[in-house]
Amino acid sequence: MTEGPSGASAASTDGSPRDVFATDSVSADLDRVSETQVAIVGAGPAGLMLAHRLSRAGIDSIAIDVRTRETISTTQRAGIIESDAARDLVELGVSDRILRDGYEHEGVDIRFAGASHRIDFRQHVGASVWLYPQTDVFIDLAAARDRDGGEVHYGVSDTRVLDIETSSPRVQFTDTDGARHEIRARYVVGSDGSRSLCRHLVPEEHRQQFFREYPFAWFGFLTQAPMSAPELVYTHSEHGFALISQRTETLQRMYFQCDPTENVEHWSDRRIWETMQQRVAGGDGFTLKEGPITEKSVLVFRSFVQQPMRWGSMVLAGDAAHTVPPTGARGLNLALHDVKILDGVLQRALGSTGEAALDEYEPAALNRVWRAQNFSYWMTQMLHTPTGASPFDVRRQEGELDNVVSTRAGRTYLAEQYTGWPSHG
Ligand code: PHB
């Protein structure tokens, strides 16, 4: 999902980094210069998880973000975490709140032609996922950084990333009190989200950007209502896609397919519920439990990958390097996988192996990235109804869905992709 930018704010976006950033005169007005091993641009879950992992290995970092802590804590994002990532959060001492406040899901419902079909993860691949919102992952990580004395600056402005083609890159920014800082580091990590500016520091002639736009978006909302289903329900209907997700016993998260230009102001609670009920309706009488709607937003999405994921002393992680449509719930999981690999790579790079260790990062991360791109794309095109879809198109999608839910191979495939793959980290 595309949300606000989360890192470098004023870096120029084109031309070579040297041309853009070789400005020695900027050093003159610095209020504070800090030295650290890794400067992290973007302090969302990917950036903070990396900082947390590195600090456990005795490696110092400083993280910055253009967003305030409050904004990151309250921006609604997806809520499904692979069990390996959930276990890491607990075992690496971030928090065990996921075990108390999260919900373990051992399956998912795929609903089409008015009937639900459960895919049992445990039965098919011996796995599960956790429903635990990304905002809570961030809240836990930010608290862990506080607890461990980690340095994080939120709400920064005028970020500049300098000298990434050297072995002494720098990051400059202005803090919320107006003081101008410079971080001198050995490596810079760009984990600045789907509207990353760090990614533009890879010179244009050396970077490849792969992307695909979709002719629809998601209308997402929170509602104060009881759960309508114990697990997620991904729904295909001739009227468009709908997703039933949950947050707590009394707060639910739901989405429906809409036009990318849709204006949330045009949607009353009544109209939203009519749309949702129409999409999930079927012969089994399934209906949604309604309640007041407390938050609404339109999420425009696309598939995107940038290669290379590393340039000089800078590496990209998470949405900065690749974004996926939210349909397969892969985004946060991919980002956490990147930083798991990056943790080991940076430890070796800062240890006896030296910079050559950085060469290991992209091949290890990219394999999973393209698998996840395929899965997210596949789920998206299978479940959404493009405007102008013919009756043939809709029936063909139902045929595809039927192949998935009523064959062992189909169910196993979906279960394996949805719950994640073994880590290369
Ligand atoms: C969510 O709970 O917000 C959620 C879950 C699964 C998705 C996307 C979003 O695929």
Side-chain angles (χ1 to χ4, degrees):
M1 287 178 227
T2 50
E3 307 286 354
S6 59
S9 64
S12 181
T13 55
D14 282 301
S16 86
R18 232 184 337 240
D19 293 343
V20 174
F21 296 119
T23 45
D24 285 334
S25 58
V26 287
S27 302
D29 26 273
L30 293 173
D31 297 302
R32 190 180 144 197
V33 174
S34 316
E35 302 219 346
T36 193
Q37 289 166 290
V38 183
I40 301 176
V41 180
L48 292 192
M49 187 65 183
L50 180 65
H52 181 81
R53 282 180 173 277
L54 292 175
S55 80
R56 287 175 56 93
I59 294 173
D60 287 338
S61 68
I62 300 177
I64 62 168
D65 204 295
V66 293
R67 298 167 299 174
T68 64
R69 187 165 173 168
E70 170 67 15
T71 301
I72 313 177
S73 312
T74 53
T75 306
Q76 290 299 318
R77 304 291 299 266
I80 290 290
I81 301 185
E82 290 170 13
S83 51
D84 280 0
R87 197 191 51 231
D88 284 351
L89 288 173
V90 176
E91 287 182 358
L92 299 179
V94 175
S95 160
D96 60 2
R97 205 159 63 93
I98 189 167
L99 302 176
R100 292 195 308 277
D101 298 346
Y103 296 82
E104 188 175 18
H105 285 186
E106 300 195 341
V108 73
D109 267 1
I110 303 292
R111 187 171 173 83
F112 61 97
S116 287
H117 307 263
R118 183 167 188 266
I119 310 272
D120 189 322
F121 301 150
R122 186 68 73 199
Q123 182 195 340
H124 290 292
V125 293
S128 64
V129 294
W130 284 80
L131 178 80
Y132 190 68
Q134 182 167 329
T135 42
D136 286 300
V137 175
F138 169 76
I139 289 166
D140 293 349
L141 281 164
R145 289 282 67 212
D146 287 346
R147 213 170 47 228
D148 297 344
E151 190 173 337
V152 185
H153 299 262
Y154 300 100
V156 308
S157 52
D158 301 323
T159 307
R160 282 164 188 270
V161 179
L162 304 134
D163 302 335
I164 59 166
E165 290 178 338
T166 73
S167 56
S168 41
R170 296 175 288 149
V171 176
Q172 297 180 340
F173 66 93
T174 302
D175 70 18
T176 47
D177 295 326
R180 191 80 190 140
H181 294 244
E182 179 169 287
I183 309 170
R184 296 184 181 160
R186 175 62 191 88
Y187 295 109
V188 173
V189 174
S191 47
D192 54 342
S194 59
R195 294 189 210 160
S196 169
L197 292 171
C198 284
R199 72 162 76 109
H200 297 288
L201 300 179
V202 178
E204 214 173 346
E205 64 275 22
H206 292 286
R207 69 178 185 236
Q208 273 186 297
Q209 295 188 330
F210 304 89
F211 59 90
R212 186 181 209 285
E213 309 280 349
Y214 296 86
F216 35 74
W218 278 10
F219 190 113
F221 62 95
L222 283 170
T223 177
Q224 284 164 345
M227 287 187 188
S228 291
E231 294 171 341
L232 270 63
V233 186
Y234 287 86
T235 308
H236 171 273
S237 87
E238 60 186 314
H239 306 291
F241 169 81
L243 172 61
I244 318 307
S245 183
Q246 302 83 10
R247 286 296 177 263
T248 67
E249 302 301 324
T250 54
L251 186 69
Q252 314 309 325
R253 179 77 171 150
M254 299 187 192
Y255 304 88
F256 62 88
Q257 175 187 340
C258 69
D259 191 272
T261 60
E262 198 60 73
N263 180 349
V264 291
E265 299 311 323
H266 297 161
W267 287 80
S268 64
D269 286 17
R270 180 80 338 258
R271 188 174 170 210
I272 291 172
W273 284 120
E274 277 168 15
T275 300
M276 289 296 293
Q277 298 287 16
Q278 183 191 43
R279 294 191 187 187
V280 302
D284 59 1
F286 178 59
T287 54
L288 300 171
K289 297 190 174 117
E290 300 183 10
I293 288 169
T294 53
E295 214 234 50
K296 318 179 243 197
S297 58
V298 171
L299 313 163
V300 178
F301 53 81
R302 64 179 187 156
S303 302
F304 171 82
V305 180
Q306 174 167 306
Q307 290 175 225
M309 291 171 73
R310 173 217 168 179
W311 191 254
S313 299
M314 182 190 74
V315 280
L316 300 171
D319 281 7
H322 42 75
T323 48
V324 287
T327 324
R330 299 289 79 211
L332 173 60
N333 293 297
L334 269 187
L336 294 176
H337 187 257
D338 281 356
V339 302
K340 184 173 192 164
I341 293 174
L342 202 46
D343 172 29
V345 163
L346 285 170
Q347 286 187 45
R348 288 191 290 284
L350 289 160
S352 55
T353 312
E355 188 167 328
L358 257 52
D359 296 342
E360 298 163 25
Y361 173 57
E362 179 166 312
L366 215 49
N367 167 277
R368 197 180 182 92
V369 167
W370 280 109
R371 286 172 139 207
Q373 286 292 353
N374 176 62
F375 178 62
S376 307
Y377 167 87
W378 175 69
M379 285 278 277
T380 301
Q381 61 81 36
M382 179 168 68
L383 288 161
H384 291 71
T385 329
T387 321
S390 68
F392 172 87
D393 296 332
V394 174
R395 296 291 171 272
R396 188 208 61 77
Q397 283 178 313
E398 289 174 356
E400 183 174 7
L401 286 157
D402 202 13
N403 270 321
V404 171
V405 303
S406 54
T407 65
R408 186 167 188 86
R411 290 193 301 269
T412 307
Y413 178 73
L414 194 145
E416 190 166 51
Q417 307 282 307
Y418 197 88
T419 54
W421 304 273
S423 174
H424 294 265

